[in-house]
């Protein structure tokens, strides 16, 4: 009797555990689908004013929100961040924009190939005067690139770390905690090339859910087989 009870309990626990994990993945799937719908709505919405530095910005509510801001670029403090895009390897050009609302925000003006990384090699794109930028609000990336830490002292950047870049470049005054990916509006001379933001969400929750539910069914089948074998064994005594 003890073996029967222990076996039944073991299979029942496995069935319950796998089923719970399957339900959790279904919940995650619904959450991810809702997030994708929200982001798609933000990307295609009319641009709103970029939030000031004292406004809380969150991943859930603000990532990829379409925003607009006006001001003047501080080209002397631009940072170049290693990047690989559909145009090949090169750099993102991040430039502080001193806005007409008395705060600064980093603008990812777009991509330049390695041979265009120096400002002198794309002089036409170093625009002066007041500019209007429309783009997508992005959250800071403080952790560096894959297996590559940012090196502020050497001015080598592998992620768009707002706080790190601001500090290393000596940007003064109130600064937004996020950056803005500029849209595809052409810059003089064609560089930097904006509008290359890739919006992609991993969504394997359905596969995971089916896997867990499959394991739950296997556990249930195992329980049935176990009980049958126990019944045969006891009848055969």
């Amino acid at each position: 009797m003890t073996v029967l009870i222990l076996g039944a309990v073991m299979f029942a626990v496995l069935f319950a555990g796998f089923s719970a994990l399957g339900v959790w993945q279904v919940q995650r799937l619904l959450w991810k689908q809702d997030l994708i719908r929200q982001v798609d709505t933000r990307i295609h919405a009319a641009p709103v004013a970029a939030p000031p530095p004292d406004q809380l910005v969150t991943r859930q509510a603000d990532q990829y929100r379409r925003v607009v801001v006006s001001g003047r670029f501080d080209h002397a403090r631009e940072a170049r961040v290693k990047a690989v895009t559909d145009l090949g390897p090169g750099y993102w050009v991040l430039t502080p924009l001193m806005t007409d609302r008395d705060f600064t925000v980093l603008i990812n003006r777009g991509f330049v190939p390695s041979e265009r990384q120096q400002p002198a090699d794309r002089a036409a794109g170093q625009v002066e005067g007041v500019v209007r930028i429309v783009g997508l609000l992005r959250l800071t990336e403080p952790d560096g690139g894959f297996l590559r830490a940012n090196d502020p002292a050497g001015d080598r950047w592998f992620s768009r770390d707002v706080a790190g870049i601001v500090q290393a470049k000596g940007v003064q005054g109130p600064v937004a905690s996020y950056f803005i990916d500029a849209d595809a509006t052409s810059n003089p001379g064609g560089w930097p090339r904006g509008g290359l933001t890739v919006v992609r969400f991993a969504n394997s929750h359905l596969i995971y859910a089916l896997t867990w539910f499959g394991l739950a069914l296997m556990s249930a089948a195992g329980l049935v087989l176990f009980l049958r074998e126990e019944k045969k064994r006891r009848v055969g005594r």
Side-chain angles (χ1 to χ4, degrees):
M1 182 64 72
T2 302
V3 173
L4 178 63
I5 294 174
L6 288 177
V9 169
M10 179 188 72
F11 280 110
V13 168
L14 288 174
F15 176 79
F18 290 141
S19 297
L21 288 170
V23 170
W24 176 63
Q25 285 298 334
V26 170
Q27 293 171 340
R28 293 281 295 172
L29 173 63
L30 295 175
W31 167 81
K32 183 62 69 66
Q33 290 175 335
D34 183 59
L35 175 63
I36 292 172
R37 283 193 294 270
Q38 290 180 30
V39 169
D40 186 67
T41 299
R42 293 173 197 162
I43 289 173
H44 296 99
V48 298
D54 58 356
Q55 181 174 323
L56 179 64
V57 172
T58 66
R59 185 175 303 277
Q60 184 68 24
D62 299 292
Q63 179 82 302
Y64 299 112
R65 186 176 300 283
R66 198 158 175 251
V67 296
V68 59
V69 66
S70 297
R72 296 174 180 270
F73 283 123
D74 185 356
H75 294 293
R77 290 183 168 83
E78 77 169 30
R80 294 175 292 278
V81 181
K82 278 283 189 179
V84 177
T85 72
D86 291 341
L87 300 179
Y91 298 84
W92 297 123
V93 176
L94 267 69
T95 308
L97 181 80
M98 298 174 288
T99 75
D100 53 13
R101 293 161 55 201
D102 297 324
F103 70 90
T104 299
V105 59
L106 283 184
I107 305 296
N108 177 13
R109 301 187 62 211
F111 172 82
V112 293
S114 297
E115 64 271 18
R116 298 271 188 174
Q117 66 170 297
Q118 297 302 326
D121 296 321
R122 45 183 164 84
Q126 302 297 91
V127 294
E128 301 293 339
V130 176
V131 295
R132 180 178 182 270
I133 302 296
V134 175
L136 301 179
L137 186 152
R138 302 293 308 280
L139 300 187
T140 183
E141 303 166 348
D143 297 325
F146 180 67
L147 299 179
R148 308 184 79 173
N150 291 323
D151 176 18
D155 198 24
R156 289 187 289 270
W157 304 95
F158 302 98
S159 72
R160 291 163 291 191
D161 175 4
V162 172
I165 292 172
V166 165
Q167 181 176 3
K169 296 296 181 177
V171 179
Q172 302 297 316
V175 182
S177 61
Y178 57 87
F179 64 93
I180 297 173
D181 275 350
D183 67 10
T185 300
S186 180
N187 286 302
W191 303 104
R193 188 79 55 82
L196 297 177
T197 305
V198 175
V199 182
R200 183 184 298 127
F201 295 93
N203 189 9
S204 301
H205 299 297
L206 178 59
I207 295 174
Y208 295 152
L210 292 175
T211 300
W212 291 124
F213 285 135
L215 290 171
L217 289 175
M218 291 174 63
S219 300
L223 175 59
V224 171
L225 291 174
F226 171 75
L227 293 176
R228 284 180 180 175
E229 291 300 316
E230 279 296 303
K231 182 178 180 180
K232 290 180 182 178
R233 185 176 65 83
R234 291 174 184 279
V235 170
R237 285 182 177 179

